[in-house]
Amino acid sequence: MKKFIDLKNSLDYTKLKEAAEIIRLGGLVLFPTETVYGLGANGLDENAVKNIFKAKGRSSDNPLILHISDFNMLNDIVENISDVEYKLMKEFWPGPFTIILNRKPVVPNIVTANLDTVGIRMPSNEIANKLISYSGLPIAAPSANISGKPSGTNISDIFDELSDKVDCIIDGGNTLVGLESTVVRVIDGIPTILRPGKITPEDIKRVVGNVKIDKHIFSKLEDGEKVLSPGMKYKHYAPDSKCVLVYSDNNDLLVKKINEISMSYKTPLILSTSENVKNYENKLVIDIGSKYNLDEIAKNIFTDLRKVDKFNPDIVIIEGVKQEGLGLAIMNRLVRACSHNYIEI
Ligand code: TXA
Ligand code: MG
């Protein structure tokens, strides 16, 4: 790592010009967005993008999102945009929303993993937006984490795993949303959610009248099964410790089940909603936030998942939330963190 730009305690965004120069020269920059931190490089430079895959240990068949700062950048990289797609972009950009569009040949194959589509997002985070506009390039950026680990939502969580692999780190404090963007592809005129996020199915339906949720959001993939989004295939967000996710609409049943499971282990760790912490007496508990404030849970969940291995538990029992609104995205990440080890009662 060569350069550290602290924008957590300063609002001097002119410093971003140096980071933009690093992007233009083909370097790697760790930068904040409103969702999670990104590991960014010039999205039109094949060699620079190669280094992203190397730094993350990411499989080359998992494509990257290109980040833009304004609509002018869009037409350079994609074509044949439909009215529904425009409507969605106009409504949800800048913001935590990624749309899969037909790419132009200028987008290198390495970015799209040889697909003829490319994911595009216009972040609302001011640091991200300025970094992109100063560099004058679409920035390819996956979430900042080693592949398989929870996405980084603050610099201290990811410093050890990434600092010596990048040319520049921009610290913008904790990210606002805490979960990655909603990924949507419009198929036969209907927006289909490939990865749930802060922009919910209800939000999308309100804008264009209909929405579908891809079935692979929760299901475990069969061997060789085809998916619309390659990222669905990979292990994600998982602590090293064994994890189980438990949910019930009936809170008494939920608490009873979690207490029951924990009895069979020597050193269980429970990730509990704030309201239930008192119901797991004498047990090791991490408070993930109020079940009435899903924004709070979303914001902290990756940091919480990163903490669990330090306790060396023989089981991590995670309380689920209702799969509604943002709860859909939280549960999508938790089901995967638990490798589909999920009990619903
Ligand atoms: O919030 C976010 O989206 C963050 C920040 C940094 O912008 N980025 C992010 O990127 O989460 P990444 O690479 O960790 O996840 C991108 C997801 C992957 O699951 C990938 O498979 C999918 O988007 N994806 C990218 N391009 C695609 C395409 N052309 N077709 C289908 N899925 C695509
Ligand atoms: Mg990721």
Side-chain angles (χ1 to χ4, degrees):
M1 200 257 293
K2 290 170 194 92
K3 177 127 205 92
F4 192 95
I5 300 175
D6 181 5
L7 293 176
K8 194 160 91 179
N9 306 304
S10 141
L11 291 177
D12 182 8
Y13 291 151
T14 56
K15 289 183 188 155
L16 291 171
K17 292 192 171 152
E18 283 176 65
E21 186 59 18
I22 292 174
I23 293 278
R24 271 198 300 273
L25 293 172
L28 289 189
V29 175
L30 203 62
F31 68 101
T33 82
E34 70 278 21
T35 57
V36 299
Y37 273 77
L39 182 57
N42 176 356
L44 302 180
D45 176 344
E46 191 181 325
N47 284 320
V49 174
K50 237 180 230 163
N51 288 330
I52 296 179
F53 282 88
K54 231 189 264 166
K56 274 195 70 134
R58 179 170 173 124
S59 163
S60 62
D61 70 352
N62 195 1
L64 303 180
I65 296 170
L66 289 182
H67 297 71
I68 58 175
S69 53
D70 58 68
F71 275 90
N72 294 329
M73 276 188 177
L74 189 66
N75 294 320
D76 297 338
I77 49 183
V78 297
E79 56 194 3
N80 303 328
I81 301 170
S82 71
D83 290 348
V84 172
E85 288 162 344
Y86 261 121
K87 232 176 171 173
L88 292 167
M89 290 185 274
K90 290 228 167 83
E91 180 71 23
F92 299 123
W93 281 355
F97 179 78
T98 297
I99 186 156
I100 309 296
L101 297 167
N102 295 310
R103 67 148 159 165
K104 280 188 172 166
V106 65
V107 179
N109 283 328
I110 185 164
V111 170
T112 69
N114 292 313
L115 298 174
D116 46 19
T117 55
V118 60
I120 311 281
R121 178 161 108 80
M122 190 192 292
S124 60
N125 177 290
E126 214 175 327
I127 297 172
N129 186 281
K130 291 230 155 53
L131 177 68
I132 302 163
S133 64
Y134 286 157
S135 69
L137 292 161
I139 294 185
S143 54
N145 53 279
I146 295 289
S147 281
K149 290 283 154 213
S151 304
T153 52
N154 60 71
I155 290 297
S156 62
D157 276 359
I158 47 179
F159 192 85
D160 288 349
E161 69 192 52
L162 290 174
S163 62
D164 56 357
K165 298 180 174 164
V166 300
D167 302 294
C168 174
I169 293 181
I170 305 168
D171 189 349
N174 289 320
T175 59
L176 193 69
V177 178
L179 297 180
E180 308 87 344
S181 61
T182 305
V183 177
V184 165
R185 179 164 181 185
V186 177
I187 301 167
D188 297 330
I190 302 174
T192 305
I193 296 180
L194 307 182
R195 180 177 70 184
K198 172 75 181 159
I199 305 295
T200 64
E202 295 80 11
D203 294 332
I204 293 170
K205 196 165 177 193
R206 209 177 336 103
V207 177
V208 292
N210 48 22
V211 66
K212 273 189 189 159
I213 300 172
D214 190 273
K215 64 172 188 200
H216 292 111
I217 280 180
F218 287 109
S219 71
K220 209 171 170 172
L221 282 185
E222 302 298 326
D223 268 356
E225 195 175 357
K226 269 206 135 155
V227 282
L228 282 169
S229 183
M232 291 169 164
K233 288 191 299 203
Y234 294 101
K235 188 173 156 165
H236 256 92
Y237 318 118
D240 294 329
S241 315
K242 181 180 165 188
C243 299
V244 58
L245 177 65
V246 186
Y247 181 71
S248 173
D249 279 335
N250 179 326
N251 197 57
D252 292 342
L253 281 182
L254 175 67
V255 169
K256 192 165 160 253
K257 185 73 188 173
I258 290 181
N259 274 318
E260 201 181 287
I261 296 172
S262 69
M263 303 284 274
S264 329
Y265 290 86
K266 281 203 196 90
T267 51
L269 169 65
I270 302 170
L271 266 57
S272 163
T273 53
S274 309
E275 290 77 14
N276 277 339
V277 169
K278 62 177 187 312
N279 295 323
Y280 305 120
E281 258 180 50
N282 305 322
K283 299 206 174 82
L284 203 52
V285 176
I286 293 178
D287 182 345
I288 62 170
S290 167
K291 67 175 171 182
Y292 302 112
N293 185 352
L294 295 183
D295 284 321
E296 183 191 5
I297 295 183
K299 201 175 157 120
N300 297 319
I301 197 70
F302 286 148
T303 292
D304 291 337
L305 286 171
R306 280 175 175 273
K307 280 182 202 153
V308 304
D309 291 328
K310 294 182 191 134
F311 294 91
N312 226 350
D314 55 357
I315 186 79
V316 181
I317 312 170
I318 307 178
E319 261 189 25
V321 296
K322 204 173 177 58
Q323 279 174 38
E324 236 174 45
L326 188 55
L328 184 72
I330 294 169
M331 286 298 274
N332 166 265
R333 307 314 192 269
L334 289 178
V335 164
R336 305 187 68 181
C338 296
S339 307
H340 294 86
N341 191 8
Y342 175 42
I343 302 169
E344 189 172 342
I345 21 174

